[in-house]
Amino acid sequence: MKKVSAENMANTSVKKQKKTESLGFDNALPTLPIKTILAMTFGCIGVNMAFTLQGSQMSRITQTIGVNPNSLGWFFLLPPLLGMFVQPLLGKYSDSTWTRWGRRIPYLLVGAPITVIVMIMLPFTGSFGFGYGSMTAMVYAAIAIALMDLFSNVCLAPYKMLAGDMVNEKQKNLAWSWQQVFGYAGGILAALLPYILTKLGVANTAGKGQVPATVIWAYLIGAAMLLITSFVTIFNVHEYDPKTYAKYHKINEDKQQVTPSLWKLLKTAPRSFWELAIVQLFSWIGIMYTWTYATGAMANNIWNTTNPSSSGFQAAGNWYGVMTAFYSVAALLWGLFYAKTKANQRKFWYSFGLFADAISIIIVATTHNQWVALIAFALYGIGNFTINTLPYTMLTTSLDGRNNGSYLGLFNIAVCLPQIIGSLASFVIFPMVGNSQSMMIIGFVAMVIGSFSVLIVHEGK
């Protein structure tokens, strides 16, 4: 057996350290106990239940109350428009919010109860006698959807910022992966609820313009889970005080720290911020067109109907919920695998995940078999995990700890803006192509472009 000298081992260690430093990695933060990382990620169960219900049921709810498919873009326009303004402000002000409860946790403490209220509002859109397809019903639904997305993001942002504030480079893949693993666990439950409730005998159809009881109860259960899991995080995570935070992030407390304006932060953003934003542009258009048009595409291709009041359309809505749960399982398993990957392989796994997502979209858009669509969504799960993990991991690696919240808030624009662009474009594109399947094919093309765009990203400081 070949012997390895102490000198060679030392040289190898130095080389690894230099490679890590070349990416801008900083190991000043301490290694956290597993129970701390568990506590700061557990609340993602409830938050992702809210997002999953929104993604899997919003198109179904709006079309059930009388929204024309050509007008669906309006309902997906308000949430990201609000998010573009609220998330950066939340990040900026939480950066300088030092309280006895921390600086991120107070926003979760306020955001969670409000999100619960809005989650209760939304599924009852068709229960107030507004009238099928009436302007009142449309306005009520639009406001409820916008508020739900807004405050769901208020709940989600602290988890991302806590990971940036407290987790060192060695544990970063683990923490971000666990956020997604718990998130997908909640997503599995949320997506399956309408299907499970139907099997338990809860009505899956309702009068014209009314949302079925299965969907209403799914939202009520999701709201309860959001509140419970959020409080688990609130009561068990203790953020660093200002002095300790400055020490771990190597910030000189002797110098007066002036919080830059958001505009100045944008002008001095690290290179990777803009490069990742380009990738986000294409990948989020692909996601959004899947959210919006998958139910309609499957109803047409598999159940041979475009009538939102038909049992076939509602069956397609239930099946999309099952598919969402299935991709959540795939994403959860993929997250456990990804947590063990090396930090210098992130670009490869980012591109791989987006390409897997693209393949799943094109299959769901064209298949006439519901089981093929289900299997294909395993690839969508890999892509969804990737889109919700890799960009943030790579971005926080490029930050110095001074304005983490502000930059994560500003980066949310890279999530919101593609949805706005996609929504506005749909008003022109949908009348031209005339069906949901073609809209998903456009989403496939966007996702493929996104997978190649990863090549331009430079990770690190």
Side-chain angles (χ1 to χ4, degrees), residues 17 72 84 258 260 317 327 363:
Q17 183 178 355
L72 285 178
M84 281 185 62
V258 179
Y327 93 64
I363 292 174

Side-chain angles (χ1 to χ4, degrees), residues 86-133:
V86 172
Q87 286 289 346
L89 291 173
L90 187 148
K92 175 179 171 60
Y93 289 115
S94 68
D95 277 343
S96 54
T97 300
W98 295 101
T99 72
R100 59 180 295 186
W101 300 284
R103 59 177 184 165
R104 315 298 186 187
I105 294 295
Y107 291 88
L108 181 60
L109 187 59
V110 173
I114 297 177
T115 306
V116 167
I117 293 171
V118 179
M119 287 183 71
I120 295 172
M121 289 172 53
L122 179 57
F124 287 100
T125 302
S127 303
F128 297 115
F130 294 139
Y132 180 79

Side-chain angles (χ1 to χ4, degrees), residues 140-157:
Y140 178 93
I143 292 173
I145 288 169
L147 290 176
M148 181 173 171
D149 187 87
L150 172 61
F151 286 103
S152 296
N153 274 285
V154 170
C155 289
L156 178 62

Side-chain angles (χ1 to χ4, degrees), residues 92-372:
K92 175 179 171 60
Y93 289 115
S94 68
D95 277 343
S96 54
T97 300
W98 295 101
T99 72
R100 59 180 295 186
W101 300 284
R103 59 177 184 165
R104 315 298 186 187
I105 294 295
Y107 291 88
L108 181 60
L109 187 59
V110 173
I114 297 177
T115 306
V116 167
I117 293 171
V118 179
M119 287 183 71
I120 295 172
M121 289 172 53
L122 179 57
F124 287 100
T125 302
S127 303
F128 297 115
F130 294 139
Y132 180 79
S134 70
M135 181 58 66
T136 304
M138 303 298 108
V139 171
Y140 178 93
I143 292 173
I145 288 169
L147 290 176
M148 181 173 171
D149 187 87
L150 172 61
F151 286 103
S152 296
N153 274 285
V154 170
C155 289
L156 178 62
Y159 293 102
K160 294 180 180 179
M161 295 171 190
L162 284 170
D165 290 348
M166 300 178 66
V167 181
N168 66 23
E169 183 57 35
K170 181 181 178 181
Q171 294 181 303
K172 191 165 286 186
N173 277 11
L174 178 66
W176 284 101
S177 295
W178 277 20
Q179 278 197 17
Q180 296 305 311
V181 167
F182 281 122
Y184 286 116
I188 293 166
L189 176 59
L192 282 176
L193 277 173
Y195 186 83
I196 293 172
L197 291 167
T198 301
K199 293 297 183 182
L200 292 175
V202 180
N204 192 48
T205 56
K208 186 174 182 179
Q210 295 182 14
V211 177
T214 50
V215 178
I216 292 174
W217 276 106
Y219 270 82
L220 295 178
I221 294 170
M225 288 294 294
L226 173 64
L227 195 62
I228 293 168
T229 57
S230 294
F231 279 116
V232 168
T233 297
I234 289 168
F235 291 126
N236 289 281
V237 175
H238 305 286
E239 299 183 62
Y240 299 133
D241 59 76
K243 185 176 182 180
T244 304
Y245 184 88
K247 172 188 172 183
Y248 288 151
H249 286 275
K250 300 179 180 179
I251 298 173
N252 188 349
E253 281 194 296
D254 296 331
K255 294 182 180 180
Q256 185 177 2
Q257 301 296 327
V258 179
T259 304
S261 67
L262 292 174
W263 177 244
K264 185 174 181 180
L265 286 172
L266 272 178
K267 291 194 293 184
T268 57
R271 181 178 181 178
S272 62
F273 180 96
W274 300 106
E275 294 165 342
L276 288 166
I278 293 174
V279 183
Q280 292 282 77
L281 171 64
F282 293 105
S283 57
W284 273 96
I285 287 178
I287 287 178
M288 183 194 162
Y289 281 179
T290 303
W291 283 351
T292 312
Y293 299 106
T295 297
M298 291 192 302
N300 193 2
N301 285 342
I302 301 172
W303 280 270
N304 301 312
T305 182
T306 58
N307 179 9
S309 299
S310 67
S311 60
F313 191 93
Q314 296 302 328
N318 270 9
W319 192 247
Y320 184 65
V322 173
M323 289 167 57
T324 302
F326 186 72
Y327 93 64
S328 296
V329 173
L332 188 155
L333 296 175
W334 185 255
L336 295 175
F337 163 78
Y338 174 75
K340 299 179 180 180
T341 61
K342 296 179 180 179
N344 60 4
Q345 297 176 334
R346 287 175 185 149
K347 284 182 65 174
F348 168 78
W349 292 118
Y350 194 3
S351 185
F352 176 87
L354 296 187
F355 189 73
D357 209 332
I359 297 301
S360 72
I361 293 172
I362 192 66
I363 292 174
V364 173
T366 56
T367 185
H368 294 272
N369 186 305
Q370 67 186 92
W371 297 102
V372 172

